[in-house]
Amino acid sequence: IVIVIIAVVLGLTLRQNRSEFESTFLSRCEKFNQYDCKKVWGAFQQAYVNKDPCKVPVEAYDPLIAAALFKPQCNRMMFWSKTKDVVHGFTEKRDCFVTLEDTLLGSVLDGLTWCGKEGSKDTFTNGCPGWSDCENNTVRSFWIRASAAFADVACGDVTAMLNGSINTPFNPTSIFASVEVPRFIASRVKNLNVVMVIQKNNISNCTDPSLKNLTQTLDTGITFSCKDVSESRIQECGAKPEIACGACW
Ligand code: AVW
């Protein structure tokens, strides 16, 4: 009897986990009109279900990207690296910029962990490999694929917030440096403007040598600019809608 009870409780917990993930996915998705969320969920699942969670290549998410196309938002696209909180603190309050996490797929999966298992058709949220446990893990491959798709549609003036409180604001191993910047093409992107977020104890700014690598990676024809902006100014601009987007920095 004890074993049966344990089995039932365990079974219910797993089922609940699975449906909880699916309902989070669907309810976040339904905030966006124009998408068939059931279809998007199906395309999402096929990427990792019934697979070893360390053997999900980036391309496994191609059908998902095709099902939930990113719309170009010229002059409003915002990229970031090691500045997630300050960027989203700002974009949450103002309409000036769109980040990956404001798009359908980015907002649906932001903060979530998921994976499949060989021989199972379920989605698990526990026991999934961490970001650097193996290269081709479910979550990491998704963010690389989604970031690539978001960068592919970048156009006009593009903005990126980098962190002035770390040694290498433009880090070659980051998604921004390794996946996004190489996909900006001069025929679509006019200028890349880096906003260097400066806190009290900043150790880098727009003169940082890592930005040299950035300008060297940029497709010829895309101009580059960089502005040191204090974190408090970014917060102020987020809080004051009367400041025009273009006057924030
Ligand atoms: P990031 P990126 N463990 O701030 O340039 C767990 O370094 O790479 O900026 N999660 C991780 C790890 C890790 N070691 N490293 C990265 N992540 C996840 C998409 C985590 O969710 C947007 F369009 C972290 O918050 C940006 O322009 C996120 O990756 C660009 O890619 C970003 O790590 C930011 O990627």
Side-chain angles (χ1 to χ4, degrees), residues 78-84 99-101 110-111 130-132 143 146-147 150 171 173-177 180:
M78 170 71 85
F79 295 81
W80 54 270
S81 199
K82 297 281 183 288
T83 50
K84 194 173 197 244
T99 66
L100 172 58
E101 294 71 25
D110 194 18
W131 187 269
S132 352
W143 286 108
S147 302
F150 188 61
N171 189 325
T173 66
S174 67
I175 290 183
F176 177 63
E180 295 175 328

